[in-house]
Amino acid sequence: MAARGHVQDPNDRRLRPIYDYLDNGNNKMAIQQADKLLKKHKDLHCAKVLKAIGLQRTGKQDEAFSLAQEVATLEPTDDNSLQALTILYREMHHPELVTKLYEAAVKKVPLSEEYHSHLFMAYARVGEYKKMQQAGMALYKIVPKNPYYFWSVMSLVMQAISAQDEKLAQTMFLPLAERMVEKMVKEEKIEAEAEVQLYFMILERLGKCVEALDVVRGPLGEKLTSELRSRENKCMMMYQRLQLWPECNALSYKLLLKNPDDWQFYLSYFDSLFHLMDKSWSQPEEGEHCVEGPVQTTVAEAVKFVVDRMEEQDKKESRPLRGPYLACLELIHRLRQRGCPDEKELGDPLELMVQFFGKFGDKPCCITDLKIYLHLLPPEQRSQFKKRLGELVPLGEAGEDGFGFPGDTKALQRHLCVCQLSRALGLQHALDTEGKLRLITELKAHYHHGLQFGKSCLKTELQFSDMYCLMAAHVYVDLWTETGDENMLWQCLGVLEEGLSFSPSNAQFKLLLLLLFCRLGAFQPVVDLYSSLDAKHVQHDTIGYLLTRYAGSLGQFAAASQSCNFSLRFFHSNQKDTSEYIIQAYKYGAFEKIPEFIAFRTRLNQSLHFAQVRTERMLLDLYTEADVTLSLEESVKAMGVCPEEDDIPWDNMRDNRDLTVLVSWDPKDRELTEEHRRLSLEEESVWLKVRSLTLRLLASLALLGHAPSPRNSDKTNENGISAKSSTLQTLLSQLDQTLETAAQITEKQTQYPFLGPPSSRLASALSSGSCHCQASALQLSLTLRELETTGLDDSTELQTQICNAFKSSVAQLQEMLSRCKGEVLEMKDGRLTTRPSLLETLVFFVEKVCVNTLEAAMGTGHSDTHTHCTPAARKARVRPTTPSAVTLLTHSWYDLSGEKRDNKFINVDVRHKNI
Amino acid sequence: MDNSSLAGSLFQRWLARNKYSKLRSAAPRRQGHCIECMKHLKLYFYLHSNLDPLTETYGIPFYLQYLAHWPEYFIVAEAPGGELMGYIMGKAEGSVAREEWHGHVTALSVAPEFRRLGLAAKLMEMLEEISERKGGFFVDLFVRVSNQVAVNMYKQLGYSVYRTVIEYYSASNGEPDEDAYDMRKALSSDTEKKSIVPIPHPVRPEDIE
């Protein structure tokens, strides 16, 4: 720890040991030391706060909080206490209290630059933009430093960005911000690059592109130096928005001459060229030349430009750049789109691609580059293309099996690329079963042969020939999907396991294995595979779905709960982390980053996966841990579920799942489309809605079941109950609606690419009957409520209804259970078949039983309350009807769960059985 | 990485008075590159789809810290098809008076698919140019002594070993702590190339700035 430069305050010396203890995680000692210190120095507030930090970190939140409040109400102005309280409130997730703290401090010490800036930062942490604007100005008045002034300006921009009403942003916040900057410009007080950038940002948001251009091109623009090509990029942006195509074209041209590998400028060059052609733009008379230099307006010029760039690369002695060659293909693509015959000037796409392969075929990116332009080849040229490429692959003499092998890794990479391209061209899919099996043999042979090149590879390195192995696995999957022959999947697992044994870090092997095991219903190996992927940070959001989609649905409740926890931990820390860096961005003047950071935070907060794990985690808690004999109300309250409130951003849901995490070389017509993505999100959202409504209904029932005794105040309580009942009613009708939507969605029977998103649980939930069964059971609870309000004497009809509902509920359950019976692994005629759907249905059944048990527990509680309030009725009717029905039902459930035990959660370890 | 505990940062805060008095006029936005630019936070999602075991994945705070402080030093390369090819992340630090003001390479990563295309060299060149503009005296970086491939690449790019830092990389997965080379390349401000004269004796991590 750094030594202090100036004279030590005796309090600092006294407090130091406590800091040290906290620093080392020795919270208990910190508390003791603080107590000791407080005995001697009662008014050393900071010691109290440090003690509170110790308490907070040992899980004593309430104690910590009241201790902190003791100090906070004194409105401390000493730095130590303030800083310590700030840390404490942040750890307690109460950043809003920090603002109160410094509001009080600046009142007492109105000229403190430090406290004012802390106040600004405290507002920034909670996003109080208006107050930030004021705090920034207050600071500037005390200490006229530019950054303070511009903090205030930026806060106005943030008010504009966050304004619900775009008009308010455009007519009030942004113009005000603009005027504030203009004032500084006029007074020649602009100092830093950040200030010019902020000015540009404001003008850009106001749509004042001409003014923005003037700033960038003028003297202020000279300050834009940190970033490479900052002025050019900004100009380009404005040219595009202003549709100044001549400038756009000339600037792109100029930049490409400097760096012929900059792809974005090829795009803007082509875009602007075609715009100019469409407008038949012609070079104006002399004297009016474009500020950016010569403009190109004809296809011929563009063709020449691209051809020249390629020749330049051809002549180069060092390694050629890919940009010009890809630009040539891009130009052909664009000309073809426009029906322009001039594409011939550039040459035959087939020849050009062969040429590209000749130059870059030994680089692993060759497939990624060429894949985009394969559509330029007519179908009849595909085989020829493959043949031509094959001629460029040096292979050794063919052996007995008819395969020739590459002599080094470069040749291997070329050969592999041809395989990848032929798959992307659909040539592999066109093979018949026999052809595919032969292809697999070939790929496996190449895989094994290639292993010799990677003998010295480290554990963390991949084998050069890994992709052959993966492709063989893909062909097995093709065979399986076409023929339904499950044997192909078993073979596929074998290939991948072998691959993994030589290349233990290959994430693609793991991902595909994981997917296959899940599809087969064998969850056991999945947890290990997933954890060996070592998913971190955002990966919990992007690939967490691979685990959470199947863990619960295959009955691995503990694993499901744990995987939800991993993701939740990430999401919760995001909120706190981001705020700190928003503050830093103010501090360092990285104004353009602030909206980006906020957008990032929003993207995570609105994540589909986040909402899913939140909901599933709570449902799992209710199903697996809620103690029906004790108060369910407590469990529900502890979870913080509020039945009236829907905290899921249905309209702004962000699908952050990485649906292409599994490598695929499939042809375009088999690839994941935007439509697939949309449908998958739709399906997942509806399923989430079903789950979330179920959760809220259960919570609502739990809170209702333990409504306070009506003795206290009859009227309010009745109102209370009816309000809650109406929540229940609303939720139930929402559930009904959602189930209708769900039925429509499942009718579509959307099939996603095998390597794309897994289908949601929606279809199997509906077909298992679990959804409707659950809905009717929840409806029954509502009917029971009605019985309570109607009273027992005038409700014969209602009671019959209830009895019938109970009966049909049991029947439904039995029906569901009968669907769960069967063998998960079946051996027939020497062939093994898996039926993972049995497991899924069984899980739905178990969940259903949980719901009913919870309801029964709540119902019992409820009827007890009822008996208390109408003692007379107890003897007469309540006992014989309701409880007996409940008992009957519960007994039936117990019987059923007895059966369930025989069937139970089989942890099918398919791995062992296969390999 | 930021290894300091919360209490650690608390103590530093306690020590650091008037921290806002040292306001820096700092810098700007993203720099796109080689083949096309993109928003950094989109990059963040990309990066994390990258399951390559050799590519370090940092936590959100780490990236945000760099983006908030040295956004111009964060350069990303995207392929025409939208794939992330690679990125470089760095910072400017050191005392100007002592001629130690320099650019530092914090992370350089190229996706396996896009290796052997000269991308790393291109990204390094850009980081050097930014450091030149800031008037830095040199650019430095740390690399595992065992990572011969990287050491050789940096040598080819004009870097030389300035000193060895003992046990700079902390142990993980049962592997022992590992030494680092502190490699440097002089920039034009350092006309006599004083900054890269090697220090013969190895130093400990706590002795480096």
Side-chain angles (χ1 to χ4, degrees):
Chain A
M1 226 155 268
R4 303 198 44 195
H6 49 89
V7 183
Q8 237 180 5
D9 177 343
N11 279 342
D12 286 359
R13 184 174 41 79
R14 290 186 192 113
L15 291 168
R16 185 166 179 143
I18 313 182
Y19 282 111
D20 285 342
Y21 284 129
L22 286 176
D23 206 14
N24 300 326
N26 199 342
N27 298 315
K28 280 204 182 116
M29 283 304 289
I31 297 171
Q32 276 179 24
Q33 185 70 27
D35 279 334
K36 225 192 270 173
L37 195 58
L38 282 168
K39 264 184 205 151
K40 276 194 225 157
H41 306 272
K42 279 205 182 86
D43 49 354
L44 191 52
H45 305 313
C46 184
K48 263 190 200 170
V49 187
L50 294 180
K51 181 183 169 186
I53 292 180
L55 290 167
Q56 149 80 15
R57 290 179 183 176
T58 42
K60 292 173 185 152
Q61 273 80 6
D62 292 342
E63 236 177 291
F65 189 72
S66 55
L67 200 57
Q69 288 314 88
E70 253 177 58
V71 180
T73 44
L74 298 172
E75 306 190 338
T77 53
D78 70 294
D79 217 24
N80 289 336
S81 305
L82 286 170
Q83 300 268 8
L85 274 169
T86 306
I87 301 272
L88 177 64
Y89 285 146
R90 262 165 44 202
E91 281 185 20
M92 293 182 128
H93 301 282
H94 279 301
E96 72 285 354
L97 292 176
V98 181
T99 62
K100 301 273 169 298
L101 210 58
Y102 281 101
E103 275 168 9
V106 299
K107 246 180 225 155
K108 284 189 177 172
V109 196
L111 290 178
S112 162
E113 178 184 3
E114 194 184 347
Y115 293 168
H116 272 284
S117 69
H118 278 300
L119 180 60
F120 179 88
M121 295 307 173
Y123 287 140
R125 206 169 277 131
V126 290
E128 289 251 28
Y129 304 125
K130 171 107 189 129
K131 287 185 173 162
M132 284 162 72
Q133 182 200 337
Q134 291 158 351
M137 275 325 278
L139 252 174
Y140 185 67
K141 276 180 192 143
I142 302 168
V143 196
K145 287 182 190 165
N146 265 17
Y148 297 148
Y149 187 87
F150 285 91
W151 284 0
S152 189
V153 178
M154 184 61 202
S155 309
L156 269 168
V157 176
M158 286 315 297
Q159 287 178 69
I161 291 175
S162 61
Q164 295 294 319
D165 182 1
E166 178 61 20
K167 226 176 140 191
L168 209 60
Q170 290 295 330
T171 58
M172 198 170 99
F173 297 125
L174 291 171
L176 187 55
E178 186 193 8
R179 279 200 299 279
M180 279 181 76
V181 183
E182 274 172 358
K183 184 169 172 286
M184 295 297 265
V185 175
K186 270 185 205 133
E187 296 172 12
E188 297 188 345
K189 281 189 186 159
I190 298 282
E191 290 168 1
E193 183 171 3
E195 296 157 16
V196 181
Q197 288 198 321
L198 182 53
Y199 192 19
F200 179 82
M201 219 170 125
I202 294 165
L203 292 171
E204 187 204 330
R205 285 187 183 267
L206 274 169
K208 293 191 167 181
C209 300
V210 178
E211 289 84 346
L213 257 181
D214 289 343
V215 169
V216 179
R217 292 201 287 216
L220 283 178
E222 279 164 28
K223 289 193 188 292
L224 301 171
T225 53
S226 294
E227 192 186 334
L228 296 181
R229 268 198 345 237
S230 169
R231 286 174 95 176
E232 287 93 335
N233 282 336
K234 287 192 164 60
C235 284
M236 185 69 87
M237 214 163 100
M238 292 302 106
Y239 293 151
Q240 282 169 344
R241 280 198 40 195
L242 287 166
Q243 307 201 334
L244 290 174
W245 304 122
E247 282 80 358
C248 188
N249 182 272
L251 181 58
S252 308
Y253 178 80
K254 210 160 66 179
L255 291 169
L256 284 172
L257 285 182
K258 261 193 238 164
N259 179 7
D261 206 25
D262 210 326
W263 188 247
Q264 57 175 332
F265 296 129
Y266 282 111
L267 301 181
S268 58
Y269 174 76
F270 295 143
D271 284 342
S272 57
L273 175 86
F274 293 126
H275 279 296
L276 288 168
M277 280 170 55
D278 290 341
K279 288 188 179 156
S280 334
W281 188 86
S282 63
Q283 200 82 35
E285 298 301 302
E286 53 182 294
E288 278 181 68
H289 279 300
C290 167
V291 285
E292 297 288 359
V295 183
Q296 303 207 316
T297 53
T298 63
V299 173
E301 281 171 304
V303 168
K304 181 171 184 318
F305 176 64
V306 171
V307 170
D308 285 351
R309 298 287 76 68
M310 287 195 289
E311 279 175 5
E312 205 175 84
Q313 295 302 317
D314 290 342
K315 279 183 219 141
K316 244 175 51 174
E317 279 184 17
S318 56
R319 89 177 109 205
L321 299 170
R322 294 134 69 219
Y325 303 98
L326 290 173
C328 178
L329 293 169
E330 174 72 22
L331 185 55
I332 294 180
H333 162 67
R334 295 209 180 196
L335 290 170
R336 201 172 275 190
Q337 266 184 333
R338 293 171 60 91
C340 176
D342 294 345
E343 63 156 279
K344 296 203 177 55
E345 308 285 322
L346 288 157
D348 180 7
L350 185 136
E351 292 303 326
L352 288 164
M353 283 196 250
V354 170
Q355 194 193 349
F356 188 90
F357 181 82
K359 286 187 174 19
F360 304 102
D362 56 354
K363 313 281 186 206
C365 68
C366 189
I367 171 70
T368 325
D369 288 339
L370 284 183
K371 214 169 99 175
I372 321 171
Y373 297 108
L374 286 180
H375 64 276
L376 297 176
L377 294 176
E380 65 275 12
Q381 274 192 0
R382 286 176 190 165
S383 306
Q384 192 202 341
F385 177 59
K386 188 189 165 193
K387 210 173 134 246
R388 290 285 307 277
L389 297 183
E391 289 162 10
L392 295 170
V393 183
L395 293 181
E397 283 295 305
E400 271 173 44
D401 47 6
F403 307 130
F405 296 104
D408 58 20
T409 54
K410 282 198 170 182
L412 180 148
Q413 191 55 51
R414 278 182 188 274
H415 181 261
L416 177 63
C417 184
V418 177
C419 296
Q420 289 165 329
L421 282 167
S422 79
R423 185 163 177 85
L425 285 165
L427 298 175
Q428 292 189 355
H429 290 90
L431 296 171
D432 57 10
T433 305
E434 213 169 296
K436 281 187 177 125
L437 287 170
R438 181 169 161 78
L439 173 65
I440 289 171
T441 318
E442 185 184 349
L443 290 168
K444 279 188 189 169
H446 274 275
Y447 170 62
H448 289 127
H449 179 265
L451 287 175
Q452 60 179 293
F453 302 120
K455 277 194 181 126
S456 58
C457 280
L458 300 172
K459 260 198 306 196
T460 47
E461 285 174 302
L462 306 185
Q463 288 289 332
F464 292 96
S465 59
D466 272 357
M467 290 303 176
Y468 286 116
C469 179
L470 190 63
M471 195 180 290
H474 285 178
V475 184
Y476 273 129
V477 172
D478 293 343
L479 282 168
W480 172 66
T481 42
E482 280 162 25
T483 63
D485 180 358
E486 214 171 81
N487 190 31
M488 293 298 126
L489 275 196
W490 299 108
Q491 298 281 350
C492 182
L493 288 173
V495 166
L496 289 168
E497 290 280 9
E498 188 192 355
L500 202 55
S501 70
F502 288 107
S503 194
S505 300
N506 192 316
Q508 288 300 329
F509 291 162
K510 292 177 193 172
L511 287 167
L512 189 52
L513 275 169
L514 197 147
L515 186 69
L516 291 172
F517 280 126
C518 285
R519 288 290 190 103
L520 290 168
F523 196 76
Q524 198 85 325
V526 171
V527 178
D528 284 345
L529 280 170
Y530 187 84
S531 64
S532 76
L533 283 171
D534 199 17
K536 284 186 227 146
H537 319 300
V538 170
Q539 280 164 348
H540 288 303
D541 194 15
T542 54
I543 62 168
Y545 74 94
L546 292 170
L547 195 58
T548 52
R549 161 64 184 82
Y550 290 103
S553 72
L554 292 174
Q556 303 288 329
F557 300 121
S561 187
Q562 203 188 12
S563 56
C564 289
N565 284 348
F566 286 143
S567 296
L568 283 172
R569 216 172 297 149
F570 160 73
F571 286 112
H572 288 309
S573 69
N574 157 55
Q575 186 74 29
K576 211 172 70 185
D577 289 346
T578 328
S579 307
E580 290 319 303
Y581 294 98
I582 289 170
I583 289 177
Q584 292 223 350
Y586 276 102
K587 215 168 123 186
Y588 298 114
F591 296 126
E592 288 178 324
K593 288 285 160 267
I594 295 167
E596 263 187 57
F597 287 1
I598 288 171
F600 177 64
R601 182 169 66 188
T602 313
R603 177 167 173 182
L604 291 180
N605 283 341
Q606 296 177 341
S607 156
L608 165 75
H609 184 64
F610 184 24
Q612 281 174 328
V613 290
R614 223 159 51 205
T615 310
E616 288 299 327
R617 172 65 216 277
M618 288 192 275
L619 276 176
L620 277 166
D621 275 359
L622 273 185
Y623 292 161
T624 59
E625 276 162 30
D627 189 341
V628 288
T629 58
L630 290 171
S631 168
L632 267 176
E633 197 185 358
E634 289 305 309
S635 316
V636 169
K637 277 186 179 159
M639 279 190 245
V641 192
C642 176
E644 289 83 16
E645 262 174 45
D646 190 354
D647 62 348
I648 297 173
W650 297 106
D651 298 329
N652 301 308
M653 196 88 83
R654 298 293 299 263
D655 190 353
N656 296 331
R657 291 176 301 164
D658 183 350
L659 300 179
T660 50
V661 65
L662 286 120
V663 161
S664 156
W665 306 285
D666 285 355
K668 213 161 177 60
D669 57 336
R670 288 171 188 262
E671 270 190 338
L672 189 74
T673 61
E674 283 308 310
E675 182 65 1
H676 283 138
R677 287 175 190 274
R678 195 186 62 75
L679 288 169
S680 171
L681 175 61
E682 183 184 44
E683 197 183 306
E684 291 291 350
S685 300
V686 172
W687 172 241
L688 175 61
K689 196 150 209 166
V690 172
R691 301 294 274 180
S692 142
L693 285 168
T694 308
L695 176 68
R696 287 166 66 199
L697 276 161
L698 286 173
S700 157
L701 278 173
L703 298 175
L704 202 60
H706 290 261
S709 154
R711 253 171 279 163
N712 302 337
S713 148
D714 279 359
K715 232 175 190 173
T716 48
N717 193 51
E718 249 172 48
N719 287 344
I721 284 199
S722 66
K724 280 180 183 166
S725 288
S726 81
T727 308
L728 202 61
Q729 183 69 64
T730 320
L731 291 175
L732 265 174
S733 66
Q734 281 183 29
L735 183 62
D736 282 340
Q737 277 170 15
T738 313
L739 289 178
E740 267 173 43
T741 322
Q744 288 163 9
I745 286 179
T746 46
E747 261 172 37
K748 288 186 213 160
Q749 294 189 324
T750 313
Q751 289 293 320
Y752 304 103
F754 186 83
L755 301 173
S759 306
S760 74
R761 294 174 72 190
L762 197 58
S764 46
L766 285 180
S767 67
S768 74
S770 125
C771 283
H772 289 98
C773 187
Q774 205 146 301
S776 55
L778 290 161
Q779 180 64 49
L780 175 59
S781 301
L782 189 71
T783 325
L784 281 168
R785 296 282 139 199
E786 259 174 66
L787 181 66
E788 184 162 28
T789 30
T790 322
L792 293 160
D793 299 325
D794 310 311
S795 57
T796 330
E797 205 181 314
L798 208 55
Q799 289 175 35
T800 327
Q801 220 181 318
I802 290 170
C803 280
N804 288 340
F806 272 126
K807 276 179 204 152
S808 76
S809 174
V810 174
Q812 279 173 340
L813 279 171
Q814 274 165 337
E815 161 83 28
M816 271 184 82
L817 185 62
S818 68
R819 290 194 196 141
C820 308
K821 287 180 183 165
E823 296 288 332
V824 179
L825 275 177
E826 213 167 16
M827 196 69 171
K828 220 179 198 176
D829 308 330
R831 285 192 181 267
L832 199 55
T833 324
T834 52
R835 290 173 65 196
S837 62
L838 281 177
L839 273 177
E840 280 204 61
T841 317
L842 183 60
V843 169
F844 283 126
F845 173 77
V846 172
E847 285 185 357
K848 177 70 193 73
V849 172
C850 290
V851 170
N852 285 12
T853 316
L854 291 173
E855 277 188 294
M858 293 182 255
T860 322
H862 141 77
S863 61
D864 282 349
T865 336
H866 191 81
T867 49
H868 282 305
C869 54
T870 52
R874 180 174 11 173
K875 281 177 218 146
R877 287 174 103 162
V878 176
R879 282 286 180 214
T881 51
T882 327
S884 69
V886 172
T887 325
L888 167 84
L889 193 59
T890 330
H891 276 220
S892 323
W893 287 332
Y894 284 140
D895 292 346
L896 290 172
S897 36
E899 281 184 58
K900 186 196 79 188
R901 234 165 271 141
D902 312 327
N903 211 325
K904 75 174 185 196
F905 315 130
I906 318 143
N907 293 337
V908 205
D909 193 345
V910 188
R911 239 179 183 179
H912 285 296
K913 298 204 168 137
N914 178 37
I915 301 149
Chain B
M1 290 261 352
D2 185 10
N3 289 323
S4 64
S5 65
L6 268 171
S9 68
L10 172 106
F11 190 70
Q12 280 151 18
R13 269 158 215 276
W14 172 56
L15 291 172
R17 313 229 167 208
N18 296 323
K19 60 176 177 173
Y20 297 114
S21 57
K22 277 195 233 153
L23 274 164
R24 299 174 61 149
S25 60
R29 54 180 262 148
R30 65 178 187 271
Q31 172 67 48
H33 229 282
C34 259
I35 292 204
E36 203 167 341
C37 70
M38 62 162 122
K39 293 249 174 194
H40 283 125
L41 295 170
K42 183 177 143 207
L43 154 89
Y44 192 71
F45 274 86
Y46 269 81
L47 270 185
H48 286 80
S49 303
N50 180 6
L51 294 164
D52 169 32
L54 293 179
T55 307
E56 188 72 51
T57 36
Y58 301 106
I60 294 182
F62 195 59
Y63 291 104
L64 295 190
Q65 178 196 341
Y66 274 80
L67 286 172
H69 203 147
W70 303 279
E72 70 279 11
Y73 268 123
F74 208 129
I75 307 167
V76 172
E78 191 181 6
E83 298 85 1
L84 171 78
M85 300 202 295
Y87 77 101
I88 196 167
M89 189 164 110
K91 59 182 171 183
E93 59 184 6
S95 142
V96 179
R98 280 185 283 159
E99 302 199 352
E100 279 164 4
W101 174 246
H102 69 280
H104 174 75
V105 184
T106 305
L108 168 62
S109 176
V110 175
E113 239 187 304
F114 297 97
R115 291 190 185 146
R116 302 201 292 129
L117 292 167
L119 189 59
K122 180 79 196 166
L123 291 168
M124 286 295 287
E125 187 190 311
M126 295 171 80
L127 186 136
E128 285 160 20
E129 193 187 330
I130 296 169
S131 307
E132 278 284 359
R133 290 187 190 192
K134 289 181 186 293
F137 293 95
F138 58 92
V139 170
D140 74 350
L141 55 91
F142 293 100
V143 58
R144 280 177 192 274
V145 173
S146 65
N147 193 349
Q148 268 309 310
V149 180
V151 172
N152 288 335
M153 181 193 80
Y154 291 125
K155 280 186 177 162
Q156 272 190 352
L157 297 176
Y159 287 76
S160 54
V161 175
Y162 170 68
R163 58 186 167 187
T164 306
V165 188
I166 299 164
E167 290 169 2
Y168 178 80
Y169 293 102
S170 19
S172 64
N173 303 333
E175 311 274 329
D177 287 349
E178 195 177 336
D179 297 353
Y181 286 135
D182 177 357
M183 297 185 79
R184 289 185 175 187
K185 179 177 179 175
L187 296 178
S188 57
S189 302
D190 181 12
T191 42
E192 293 163 43
K193 302 206 184 301
K194 281 190 289 191
S195 63
I196 60 164
V197 178
I199 289 182
H201 305 295
V203 295
R204 300 212 55 92
E206 52 271 26
D207 300 327
I208 54 176
E209 276 285 299

